Amino acid sequence: MSGTSVGFVIFGAMLALMVARVPIGIAMFSVGAAGYVYLTSGNVNALLNSLKNLAYARLSNYDLVVIPLFFLMGQFATHGGLSKALFRCVSAFLGHRRGGIAMAAVGACAGFGAICGSSLATAATMGQVALPELRRYNYSGALATGALAAGGTLGIMIPPSVPLVIYAILTQESIGKLFMAAVIPGVIAMLGYMLVIQVIVRWKPDAGPAGPASSWGDRLRSLLEIVPVMFVFIVVIVGIYGGWANPTEAAAIGAAACAILAVVSGGMRTKGLVDSALGTAQATAMIFLVLLGADMLNTTLALSQMPVELAAWVKGSGLPPLLVMAMILVIYVFLGCVMDSLAMILLTIPIFYPMVMGLDYFGMPLADKSIWFGILALMVVEIGLVHPPVGMNVYIINRLAKDVPLTETFKGVVPFLLSDLVRIVGLVYFPVVSLYLVHTFK
């Protein structure tokens, strides 16, 4: 079989294992190891020689230290009650409007995403904070859970973002530039979700009743409560991009700052500290296992020459570059039905990245193209968190809102998916949206 044929067989076997509920990291490692043995004509010793350096080569990478530090920062923010301050602040300014509590939940998700980096953690945390308020003001189940599930995706869209860190490591791209490039698309995503809520409540006024108005004194006090949170975000992002701190140092500063804020605010005690450390360890172990599985699979794919063959075929096919990009994005949407965001990034970037880099998009230089594609991939991966049948954010929110049927929650996220579609099309045709800040502050 040709390298491309071997690659497709490997992907088919991996998907079959995933359907059988084999963890994604183990599935990737198993088919990668089996494919490696096949491609080396049954030479098990060659596989063992490869394995003896695989784990060390990956896990000794200094850049990976940033992942547990960002997770720890999010854990401190979660257990320290910082999410409540964010929700109170946005609610004070928007809660008196029709649909305002739901918009406040989306805004708080964006603020929490700025110190978290995980969509699942953002959805779970803000769901616990905002759902009681949404119930108290009789919001419809579809709007309340749909807004929270969609808002949770801002956890990876607003930097810092763990998937962007993985993308940067895989492509040798600058983490700081990717974080800076994600800011404007992330803000647009937040505003798009708020606009969707406005459209829904104008169409169905009973879906999102207005809450009580807050005095300007309450608004200013709530704004002062989140100043430290925004300071942490600015220190991390400006520190990385400004060059006075590398990503690992900035993440360590952010984690320490969130820990201090959590303790001073009175929200975190010994139990919260232990839970934060345990949650960070579990999430990091899961990601590192997926990383090892992806490395084994990607080693096999490199040996098969599948990525090179596909990139050469696409470049010589004469297909319009935008059509190739559309096909890649559609594949991401379908992959989102069966796997999580991190697995998609690890699995597809070694294949799709050479294709994109070999095509011409609006005359962009390679550096800009690399950043633009990273943000595009992140946004489409984000859709996988809310569209059926997996939609992990949907299941998390639905588990919190036990009185809302799962079908209602999926119906509730559909308008937000339409907003995502408009945003992605806009970014495809207007790369400057993601590149503006990168060029302005270089």
Side-chain angles (χ1 to χ4, degrees):
M1 287 193 293
S2 67
T4 303
S5 300
V6 172
F8 281 120
V9 170
I10 287 174
F11 271 103
M14 183 191 66
L15 292 175
L17 288 175
M18 291 173 60
V19 170
R21 303 185 67 83
V22 175
I24 179 64
I26 296 174
M28 287 194 290
F29 188 90
S30 300
V31 298
Y36 195 97
V37 172
Y38 174 82
L39 290 169
T40 55
S41 304
N43 189 347
V44 179
N45 288 332
L47 173 64
L48 295 176
N49 285 331
S50 176
L51 289 178
K52 69 181 182 182
N53 295 320
L54 187 69
Y56 178 79
R58 169 54 67 196
L59 301 184
S60 62
N61 187 337
Y62 177 75
D63 291 339
L64 285 178
V65 178
V66 75
I67 293 176
L69 287 173
F70 278 140
F71 273 130
L72 188 60
M73 186 164 69
Q75 288 286 334
F76 285 151
T78 299
H79 292 98
L82 301 181
S83 55
K84 295 179 182 177
L86 288 165
F87 180 72
R88 283 196 302 267
C89 178
V90 187
S91 183
F93 284 89
L94 298 176
H96 63 285
R97 298 177 178 273
R98 191 180 295 161
I101 305 297
M103 289 191 288
V106 169
C109 283
F112 191 75
I115 53 174
C116 180
S118 167
S119 283
L120 301 183
T122 301
T125 303
M126 295 312 306
Q128 293 172 0
V129 172
L131 267 176
E133 290 296 303
L134 292 164
R135 282 199 185 100
R136 187 155 72 95
Y137 291 104
N138 297 317
Y139 273 64
S140 73
L143 177 59
T145 55
L148 284 169
T153 63
L154 298 173
I156 61 171
M157 195 67 238
I158 304 288
S161 168
V162 172
L164 274 185
V165 172
I166 298 297
Y167 177 88
I169 292 171
L170 291 176
T171 60
Q172 305 295 305
E173 190 53 76
S174 164
I175 295 176
K177 288 182 178 179
L178 285 167
F179 280 3
M180 191 64 72
V183 171
I184 292 179
V187 172
I188 291 174
M190 178 190 71
L191 295 177
Y193 291 160
M194 289 183 175
L195 179 61
V196 166
I197 294 170
Q198 277 292 294
V199 171
I200 291 173
V201 297
R202 286 182 181 275
W203 179 40
K204 295 181 178 179
D206 293 338
S214 299
S215 67
W216 277 103
D218 289 339
R219 293 176 181 178
L220 290 176
R221 278 190 293 273
S222 68
L223 197 59
L224 288 174
E225 287 180 357
I226 69 162
V227 167
V229 177
M230 301 313 297
F231 177 75
V232 171
F233 170 75
I234 292 171
V235 166
V236 171
I237 301 303
V238 175
I240 293 173
Y241 199 73
W244 58 264
N246 63 36
T248 304
E249 293 166 346
I253 293 170
C258 280
I260 294 170
L261 289 174
V263 172
V264 171
S265 67
M268 190 172 71
R269 292 294 181 261
T270 304
K271 185 179 184 301
L273 182 62
V274 173
D275 290 343
S276 295
L278 183 60
T280 299
Q282 290 173 337
T284 303
M286 179 272 294
I287 286 181
F288 281 16
L289 177 61
V290 175
L291 278 168
L292 289 176
D295 276 350
M296 183 71 258
L297 181 62
N298 291 332
T299 298
T300 302
L301 292 177
L303 186 64
S304 73
Q305 294 294 301
M306 178 189 176
V308 176
E309 289 181 13
L310 279 178
W313 178 83
V314 169
K315 191 171 183 179
S317 66
L319 292 173
L322 286 177
L323 177 60
V324 174
M325 180 61 73
M327 292 167 64
I328 290 173
L329 299 181
V330 169
I331 290 172
Y332 272 125
V333 172
F334 280 108
L335 286 177
C337 295
V338 294
M339 65 179 66
D340 61 63
S341 56
L342 181 65
M344 279 193 279
I345 292 289
L346 288 166
L347 188 63
T348 59
I349 292 303
I351 297 172
F352 292 155
Y353 187 78
M355 292 184 191
V356 173
M357 292 301 103
L359 297 173
D360 177 50
Y361 290 95
F362 311 110
M364 279 191 290
L366 289 178
D368 286 354
K369 202 188 316 182
S370 176
I371 295 171
W372 172 66
F373 177 59
I375 303 303
L376 267 178
L378 180 71
M379 289 201 302
V380 184
V381 161
E382 160 200 336
I383 292 176
L385 294 166
V386 289
H387 80 72
V390 178
M392 288 302 298
N393 277 13
V394 173
Y395 285 98
I396 286 173
I397 296 299
N398 192 257
R399 196 177 300 126
L400 295 173
K402 297 178 180 178
D403 57 328
V404 180
L406 184 61
T407 52
E408 281 296 301
T409 305
F410 273 119
K411 288 178 183 177
V413 301
V414 169
F416 297 97
L417 288 174
L418 295 177
S419 171
D420 287 334
L421 176 62
V422 172
R423 176 163 42 92
I424 289 168
V425 171
L427 185 58
V428 168
Y429 283 97
F430 300 99
V432 67
V433 173
S434 59
L435 298 174
Y436 177 76
L437 291 180
V438 177
H439 290 167
T440 301
F441 296 102
K442 65 181 179 180

